[in-house]
Amino acid sequence: MNLHPFQAAAVAGVRELARGGAKRILLQSPTGTGKTRMGLEFAVGAVRQGGQVLWLAHRRELVAQAAGAIMRAGVADIGVSLAGASTGSTDAAVQVGSIQTLFARGQRPDARVVVWDEAHHCTATTYREVASAYPDAWHIGLTATPERSDHSPLGDVFQAIVVAISSPDAVRRGCLVPVRVYAPATSTDALSEDPLAAWTAHAEGRQTVAFCSSVSGAAELARRFVAAGVPAASIDGTTPLAERTATLAAFAARELRVLCNCQVLTEGWDCPGAQVCILARGCGSAALFLQMVGRVLRPADGKGDAVLIDLRGVVHQHGMPHDERSFNLEGEGIALVSKAGDPIRQCPSCAAVFRAASAGLERECPICGAALPAPAPPRATVERRPLAEIHATASREEKRRAYDRFREQARARGYSQGWAAYRFKGVFGHFPDFSRSEVA
Ligand SMILES: [Zn+2]
């Protein structure tokens, strides 16, 4: 089990801080870049020296994944504390469990090292409870997004943070895939396009996870995909465990093309084959945004890139997925490294958004190659009306010309004419209603 050089450097960085006296260290690395793998180094290292380890996670999937990874790393003596699925001894070399289960049972297994998976969920109260039981242990937190949902500082738990690798660096080294982003030109209050139409236009046929703003919205979107002939399903917090497992397995096996949900697949679900993320919702939290998009950024065979279909323009609020960010323990723990000279721009031809200067392509779209208009001068007034409102005022003649354009695009790309109709509906809110004599 070889570590990637950046992982080895991060592990060494954590150990160096520990030698300097730090007992509670947070390790940050983007989703998909091997946080568990790095955490294993500390766990296995402690076991080899005869110590015991407590590995804490807050979701069933994460407990099971961690136990499997520890076993594959060569540790056989593992105890699992999970409601309804506990195995092994509570005196095992490594105890993996959910904090809720351990504490509900009053268990405090011995530990020299405590690993906190998804450490941004560690509240001050939980931490105090665990810390009082393990005052001398070495605490390692793992997270991609060191920001709590209530923005209270993680500095009340951790003394230091080690950043393993930046997201753009991870792409350059092939540890994450690049992502094409389609979004409205500014952030919007309503969906800028119909999700089905946008998917058909930008990502048809690719394995997709869609995040909706409600459970009923997720179910409805799945029904619409199915009605359009695309195998799709939705899951939510009430989906029985067996059905949820079967649905995730069907998606991993590519029997399902689209998986819709509201808030259950944001963390702890690992499917490298997922290629497309639809955000059919807004998102006030940078951490949640990065967790959702992170589901599709892992590399996989035959996956050259990922696609983000951001229907509310969340990127205008939180930045592009692979923008450079800095991390701290002070509350709003995720900060975008300034991109003042390189605003997010939208291609007038394919609707992709990008930072043109970083791509070295200020004159043409890095996705479709279309010529870009000259960048707007700084402080220019920005058109903030949502796309749908703009198009609501389009004349019949403008709509007919747009339909001609979509049909031309469909022919050029080898798509069916139905694609043009869906593309039209996504923009104008209804299917085209032209007679044969009206269309070219
Ligand atoms: Zn373009």
Side-chain angles (χ1 to χ4, degrees):
M1 47 180 220
N2 287 327
L3 286 175
H4 204 282
F6 82 85
Q7 295 173 328
V11 168
V14 171
R15 291 201 163 123
E16 178 147 357
L17 280 169
R19 276 195 296 276
K23 295 217 110 178
R24 309 187 306 272
I25 302 165
L26 187 61
L27 177 56
Q28 187 279 337
S29 201
T31 301
T33 55
K35 284 185 301 299
T36 305
R37 178 68 195 79
M38 289 182 265
L40 279 174
E41 283 296 301
F42 307 111
V44 173
V47 171
R48 289 208 180 118
Q49 291 173 12
Q52 284 173 282
V53 175
L54 176 60
W55 188 294
L56 296 171
H58 73 290
R59 285 193 186 221
R60 302 188 78 82
E61 285 90 346
L62 291 172
V63 171
Q65 282 167 22
I70 292 163
M71 199 169 292
R72 285 192 297 278
V75 178
D77 185 17
I78 302 173
V80 174
S81 298
L82 191 62
S86 295
T87 55
S89 151
T90 54
D91 195 33
V94 181
Q95 191 69 33
V96 188
S98 77
I99 295 164
Q100 296 87 334
T101 307
L102 282 167
F103 279 55
R105 294 176 181 171
Q107 292 171 347
R108 299 290 188 280
D110 281 343
R112 177 190 293 182
V113 171
V114 181
V115 178
W116 300 74
D117 205 354
E118 303 288 2
H120 52 283
H121 290 297
C122 155
T123 67
T125 322
T126 320
Y127 173 73
R128 265 198 302 275
E129 283 184 23
V130 177
S132 63
Y134 301 96
D136 300 321
W138 192 28
H139 296 261
I140 310 280
L142 307 175
T143 185
T145 51
E147 186 174 280
R148 287 179 175 139
S149 54
D150 66 358
H151 287 187
S152 68
L154 276 161
D156 62 0
V157 174
F158 297 100
Q159 298 160 306
I161 183 167
V162 171
V163 174
I165 192 170
S166 74
S167 169
D169 241 359
V171 174
R172 281 190 286 272
R173 293 173 193 220
C175 302
L176 295 176
V177 297
V179 55
R180 265 187 288 145
V181 182
Y182 296 94
T186 63
S187 63
T188 57
D189 294 331
L191 298 189
S192 58
E193 233 187 306
D194 175 65
L196 181 52
W199 183 82
T200 308
H202 304 305
E204 186 166 21
R206 298 179 71 173
Q207 292 298 109
T208 299
V209 55
F211 292 94
C212 302
S213 56
S214 68
V215 168
S216 59
E220 172 61 22
L221 183 57
R223 273 195 293 277
R224 290 192 50 219
F225 270 107
V226 171
V230 179
S234 70
I235 57 174
D236 62 58
T238 67
T239 308
L241 189 60
E243 182 187 332
R244 174 175 166 152
T245 306
T247 303
L248 294 178
F251 181 79
R254 298 171 174 266
E255 290 153 20
L256 284 174
R257 189 75 63 235
V258 180
L259 197 48
C260 304
N261 79 114
C262 172
Q263 191 93 268
V264 301
L265 296 176
T266 52
E267 287 176 11
W269 169 63
D270 180 8
C271 180
Q275 300 177 323
V276 180
C277 174
I278 299 177
L279 290 187
R281 53 168 290 167
C283 178
S285 150
L288 181 57
F289 167 64
L290 293 174
Q291 294 284 0
M292 291 190 291
V293 180
R295 298 308 113 200
V296 300
L297 301 180
R298 286 180 166 86
D301 281 348
K303 173 177 167 184
D305 65 2
V307 176
L308 169 62
I309 297 175
D310 169 14
L311 297 168
R312 291 269 307 269
V314 174
V315 290
H316 299 290
Q317 187 181 357
H318 297 303
M320 299 290 277
H322 290 317
D323 274 348
E324 190 90 39
R325 289 175 171 82
S326 65
F327 303 94
N328 63 72
L329 296 170
E330 282 142 33
E332 289 193 21
I334 304 172
L336 207 55
V337 173
S338 172
K339 296 278 178 184
D342 190 9
I344 293 175
R345 299 175 63 193
Q346 188 193 42
C347 170
S349 176
C350 73
V353 297
F354 41 81
R355 295 197 193 271
S358 314
L361 289 160
E362 295 187 66
R363 299 292 169 110
E364 62 184 51
C365 169
I367 305 299
C368 75
L372 297 178
R379 293 172 194 283
T381 318
V382 174
E383 173 63 76
R384 287 205 174 271
R385 280 197 302 157
L387 208 57
E389 192 184 318
I390 297 167
H391 290 308
T393 59
S395 70
R396 187 170 175 81
E397 176 54 23
E398 283 167 334
K399 289 184 182 183
R400 196 195 56 76
R401 281 202 301 269
Y403 186 41
D404 280 348
R405 210 162 54 239
F406 296 148
R407 293 199 311 147
E408 185 51 47
Q409 286 172 359
R411 271 193 293 273
R413 297 177 193 182
Y415 296 160
S416 72
Q417 288 300 301
W419 177 89
Y422 266 106
R423 186 89 178 85
F424 183 95
K425 181 163 187 281
V427 173
F428 297 107
H430 62 87
F431 282 111
D433 52 356
F434 306 108
S435 64
R436 275 182 182 282
S437 59
E438 277 180 289
V439 290

